[in-house]
Amino acid sequence: MAALIDEGDDPYLWLEDLDGADSAGWVRDCNAETIAALTGSERFTALRTEIRQVLDADGRIPYPRWRGDHLCYDFWTDAAHPRGLWRRTTLDQYRRPEPEWDVLIDLDALAVEEGENWVWQQVTVLRPGYQRCLISLSRGGADAVVVREFDLARRAFVADGFSLPEAKSTVCWIDFDHIYVATDFGSGSLTTSGYPRVVKRWRRGTPLTEATVVHEGRPDDIGVYASHDPTPGFERDFVGRRLDFYRTENYLLTDAGERTRIDVPEDARWDVHREWLLVRLRSSWTVDGMTHPAGALLATRFDAFLAGGRELTVLFRPDSRTTLSYHVWTRHHLILATLVDVRSRLEVLTPDRTGWRREPLTGVPESEHSQIVETDPDHGDDYLLAAEGFLQPSTLRLGRVGGATETVKRGPAYFDAVGLTVRQFFAASADGTRVPYFVVGNPGGPGGPTLLTGYGGYEHSMTAGYDGVIGRGWLARGGTYVMANIRGGGEYGPEWHRAAIRENRLRAYEDFAAVAADLVTRGITTPGQLGVEGGSNGGLLAGVMLTRYPELFGAVVAQVPVLDMRRYHRLLAGASWIAEYGDPDREEDWAYLREYSPYHNVRGDRRFPPVLLITSTRDDRVHPGHARKMAARLREHGHQVAYYENVEGGHGAAANNEQSAFIWALAFEFLWRTLVGPAWQPLPRQASPVREVSSDRSVLP
């Protein structure tokens, strides 16, 4: 058994050096080994081809965005345009099987013209007017972006317009000549999480150095924000500090620069629509002698609230089976999306003189997972509704609150679902908690290869969806697919999340292990044929399964994973996750973090299942050092590990469909060979070279 390592004894710290000669050479060698071991078969070639067909399929639904000008905007990639097209069309054209699209930006052509590996990130359109926008592009898929102003009428970038160099920037329009900008302004302008600490008001035609500070945060905040609401008659500006991942300090900003505190709980989520303030609680809140529970949604008039009034109307109250997933406004109505045992429900609330009227949203199929794709709260009550299931391709409907709905698009079927079913079960966790999970596959087949996935963090809910990649690569080949809804997620609201954060993190892993054991008990699979896959925080989940519950699994795939819980807060955006995991620099927090930190729990006296680690050099959110060091540590102790690091791709690990198809084919090939056979040729058990640890831990050796 190996002793747990602390930061000062870390022999693989040198692998955190992103582009150092030694670490880059190590990555090249590992990639070459993995490619040689896993990509030579006919099955791998077929997997990659079929997945690419899914990702590039012409029949995919182009999910549009409405930006207030009565046009449908879409960003589209396919085989001919791997980087993508930003385009728009009219609603009448969009209804047609093959709409005529007006191409605004051809990202492939732009990348060639400028010699850059541009990856599309987002766009912010000026309201009202809708003639200018701010385009955010990243190099290789990183979170850091370059921001440039674009003229929608001329279909061209504005030569002397607003422009920002590469940074983790956020921007917001105020009017044609002014924007809010939070970016890297130089020394001292970033938080320890690497996000902007200062937000400024920038006037067109002036240098960024002359922009005026409107709000500042502290170095240990996550960051700051400023936003402008241009709704006629309700124009407002807001600023605030993001204290941690869940808490914010919020203000209304006046024209004179004065700040009025919006006195909602720091951990509440809130939004303002015209005269209404909505407050969604993460913890209980007592107001005027009445206690509102975590997960409740409250409404009040914004101006009255600022003036001290506390007349709150309860729009949603959770119960043991039901949580609020999200809410969206139309012009006159509020749509609530709830989950009942992880199954979607949608209803409409309408404010009138007597209160809030409540009714079901029309056009919502009961047997599928439905979600609102788009509304236009500035101008109308139309909505786009997508409905899909694990085995049902998506259907897109256009509706109007109080009116009829019409089907405007149907997605293609990517695999034969005949004989497959979806079942929901509940496993009993170590403390008796009922943990739901979905099983997709042939219920009459013998127990066989099964892929189990989950997330369990940041109040993020895992819900049903039609995934052509999983369908082609796993279900169509006879595999069973399982989605676990463990604590730490949001499937049952804030309490479900809070039950598995910080010192209670082990509950999430106990939940997942309980699901794995329940699958075996029910005869759905065996430990030797059960694989686990997860990404990011789900990659941490996969890493804990590898080191804490290795007897339950036959193979593990961890993508862009968090694995070193001793140094995660010192790498890239890691400090922003302390509210979720804890602070390793506090002795009492490290005491529980080291209990499950995968990197610190690699042992040589216990069999681990084979593992595939996938990451990206350009991931500037979760440092690739997590996966690199884990691979080296596993090799040191004689475990079977394959490693692949894409040179680009950001936190998604892939910058285009070709790379996505390759990575998914790699994962599936690894799982099929490991869980079913024929066994793949083991990689050489070469020991990764170690380096002496520098006495200055802030400098990489």
Side-chain angles (χ1 to χ4, degrees):
M1 176 178 179
L4 293 179
I5 57 174
D6 279 322
E7 181 183 18
D9 304 317
D10 189 346
Y12 300 115
L13 205 61
W14 60 279
L15 285 171
E16 293 179 6
D17 186 359
L18 276 180
D19 301 309
D22 288 344
S23 58
W26 181 91
V27 168
R28 285 194 300 271
D29 290 345
C30 288
N31 281 356
E33 292 172 354
T34 299
I35 290 171
L38 291 175
T39 66
S41 69
E42 292 182 2
R43 179 171 55 196
F44 174 84
T45 301
L47 281 165
R48 182 172 59 181
T49 300
E50 291 177 27
I51 293 169
R52 182 70 186 273
Q53 289 171 350
V54 169
L55 297 175
D56 286 339
D58 291 336
R60 289 172 292 139
I61 295 177
Y63 291 99
R65 301 291 295 176
W66 294 336
R67 304 194 180 276
D69 55 1
H70 308 292
L71 296 174
C72 298
Y73 287 77
D74 168 64
F75 187 76
W76 180 262
T77 61
D78 56 27
H81 308 94
R83 299 183 192 275
L85 302 171
W86 189 42
R87 57 190 191 171
R88 64 184 178 184
T89 191
T90 64
L91 182 58
D92 286 341
Q93 279 287 334
Y94 181 77
R95 285 185 169 101
R96 298 181 180 183
E98 296 184 5
E100 294 181 5
W101 291 95
D102 174 18
V103 176
L104 300 169
I105 296 179
D106 182 334
L107 205 58
D108 294 88
L110 183 68
V112 171
E113 177 185 342
E114 299 183 346
E116 294 278 9
N117 181 21
W118 290 131
V119 174
W120 185 263
Q121 291 289 6
Q122 65 178 12
V123 58
T124 303
V125 176
L126 174 64
R127 303 162 44 216
Y130 315 104
Q131 294 300 302
R132 293 289 177 92
C133 60
L134 297 169
I135 304 289
S136 296
L137 304 174
S138 83
R139 292 183 173 95
D143 284 354
V145 295
V146 171
V147 179
R148 296 159 68 177
E149 185 176 357
F150 187 82
D151 188 321
L152 285 164
R154 294 176 48 246
R155 295 169 179 77
F157 287 103
V158 180
D160 57 349
F162 292 111
S163 178
L164 292 171
E166 186 176 49
K168 291 186 177 181
S169 304
T170 58
V171 290
C172 176
W173 287 102
I174 303 172
D175 55 37
F176 184 82
D177 288 320
H178 299 88
I179 67 171
Y180 288 125
V181 55
T183 190
D184 185 350
F185 294 107
S187 177
S189 68
L190 300 180
T191 66
T192 54
S193 299
Y195 296 103
R197 188 186 62 80
V198 180
V199 60
K200 298 184 180 184
R201 189 175 191 267
W202 188 12
R203 182 165 59 89
R204 181 182 298 280
T206 64
L208 184 60
T209 54
E210 293 182 9
T212 304
V213 174
V214 296
H215 203 55
E216 293 189 63
R218 299 172 182 170
D220 57 350
D221 291 343
I222 288 184
V224 294
Y225 76 90
S227 65
H228 175 72
D229 182 352
T231 305
F234 300 93
E235 294 88 347
R236 303 183 182 105
D237 293 84
F238 302 98
V239 295
R241 295 168 51 211
R242 304 189 190 281
L243 307 177
D244 61 30
F245 205 88
Y246 304 106
R247 298 184 304 123
T248 58
E249 182 182 271
N250 309 289
Y251 299 89
L252 177 70
L253 181 68
T254 68
D255 291 339
E258 298 174 346
R259 300 175 182 85
T260 301
R261 182 74 178 265
I262 302 173
D263 194 20
V264 300
E266 288 181 344
D267 65 346
R269 285 166 283 192
W270 61 277
D271 66 88
V272 177
H273 174 70
R274 304 180 74 83
E275 71 267 38
W276 295 104
L277 167 66
L278 298 187
V279 183
R280 182 178 174 189
L281 300 179
R282 280 198 176 99
S283 56
S284 62
W285 187 27
T286 300
V287 183
D288 288 346
M290 179 176 292
T291 299
H292 302 284
L297 180 68
L298 312 174
T300 188
R301 295 185 184 274
F302 181 72
D303 290 342
F305 185 84
L306 283 190
R310 292 297 182 267
E311 185 179 340
L312 301 170
T313 300
V314 178
L315 301 184
F316 175 83
R317 184 183 296 272
D319 60 35
S320 61
R321 298 178 55 213
T322 308
T323 187
L324 178 64
S325 182
Y326 59 90
H327 62 267
V328 293
W329 284 99
T330 68
R331 171 62 179 82
H332 301 96
H333 307 274
L334 179 68
I335 300 175
L336 299 188
T338 60
L339 292 177
V340 183
D341 282 334
V342 206
R343 298 177 185 273
S344 64
R345 300 288 186 271
L346 292 166
E347 61 179 340
V348 178
L349 278 66
T350 305
D352 58 27
R353 294 178 180 178
T354 61
W356 290 76
R357 189 174 71 254
R358 189 180 302 261
E359 57 191 337
L361 184 68
T362 57
V364 180
E366 293 187 4
S367 61
E368 300 176 28
H369 181 78
S370 299
Q371 59 183 337
I372 299 297
V373 172
E374 188 63 293
T375 63
D376 186 357
D378 286 341
H379 298 105
D381 295 315
D382 290 349
Y383 59 88
L384 283 172
L385 173 74
E388 61 185 332
F390 287 110
L391 302 176
Q392 292 81 36
S394 182
T395 299
L396 186 65
R397 295 175 172 87
L398 172 65
R400 178 170 296 170
V401 175
T405 62
E406 62 171 302
T407 298
V408 291
K409 299 288 179 184
R410 294 184 185 276
Y414 294 113
F415 59 96
D416 186 357
V418 174
L420 305 182
T421 65
V422 178
R423 296 174 289 167
Q424 186 182 40
F425 299 109
F426 292 82
S429 193
D431 62 358
T433 299
R434 295 173 75 244
V435 181
Y437 65 95
F438 292 97
V439 177
V440 187
N442 181 356
T450 299
L451 178 57
L452 172 60
T453 191
Y455 189 76
Y458 300 95
E459 207 175 330
H460 170 71
S461 301
M462 301 277 285
T463 54
Y466 189 79
D467 191 329
V469 172
I470 296 294
R472 282 280 187 95
W474 194 255
L475 293 172
R477 286 172 161 79
T480 298
Y481 180 68
V482 181
M483 177 185 290
N485 302 112
I486 62 177
R487 281 176 287 184
E491 289 87 347
Y492 290 103
E495 299 294 352
W496 190 252
H497 167 245
R498 192 175 293 110
I501 65 173
R502 298 179 62 88
E503 67 272 13
N504 296 318
R505 195 78 192 171
L506 285 177
R507 289 176 179 168
Y509 308 133
E510 291 169 350
D511 289 358
F512 200 78
V515 171
D518 203 54
L519 289 168
V520 175
T521 299
R522 294 180 186 275
I524 294 172
T525 191
T526 64
Q529 290 189 301
L530 178 58
V532 56
E533 183 276 331
S536 193
N537 176 72
L540 171 59
L541 171 66
V544 174
M545 293 303 108
L546 173 73
T547 54
R548 196 174 182 88
Y549 301 98
E551 69 282 353
L552 295 179
F553 302 95
V556 173
V557 176
Q559 302 198 44
V560 290
V562 181
L563 296 167
D564 180 356
M565 302 310 292
R566 185 69 182 89
R567 283 181 52 78
Y568 84 86
H569 63 316
R570 301 190 183 185
L571 300 173
L572 299 175
S576 64
W577 314 326
I578 287 177
E580 179 81 6
Y581 300 128
D583 185 352
D585 288 339
R586 298 176 70 240
E587 184 176 347
E588 56 268 40
D589 289 10
W590 176 234
Y592 61 76
L593 286 165
R594 72 184 298 163
E595 285 296 309
Y596 69 82
S597 176
Y599 183 57
H600 297 86
N601 283 279
V602 174
R603 301 168 53 173
D605 62 345
R606 191 178 185 187
R607 179 195 169 274
F608 286 175
V611 58
L612 170 62
L613 297 169
I614 297 172
T615 189
S616 165
T617 310
R618 288 290 291 170
D619 188 348
D620 55 353
R621 192 181 313 173
V622 175
H623 198 291
H626 285 275
R628 291 178 179 184
K629 295 197 302 179
M630 187 68 174
R633 182 89 169 145
L634 287 165
R635 285 187 170 194
E636 174 190 342
H637 289 281
H639 297 294
Q640 189 61 41
V641 55
Y643 180 90
Y644 180 75
E645 181 174 320
N646 192 15
V647 295
E648 56 188 14
H651 194 51
N656 52 51
N657 289 347
E658 179 182 8
Q659 294 174 10
S660 292
F662 179 87
I663 287 171
W664 273 111
L666 201 70
F668 286 137
E669 178 67 10
F670 169 81
L671 289 165
W672 282 115
R673 290 200 196 187
T674 307
L675 300 179
V676 180
W680 57 294
Q681 188 67 31
L683 295 174
R685 286 190 174 181
Q686 70 175 56
S688 296
V690 299
R691 299 288 184 271
E692 292 185 2
V693 180
S694 169
S695 59
D696 180 359
R697 298 177 189 174
S698 67
V699 179
L700 292 173

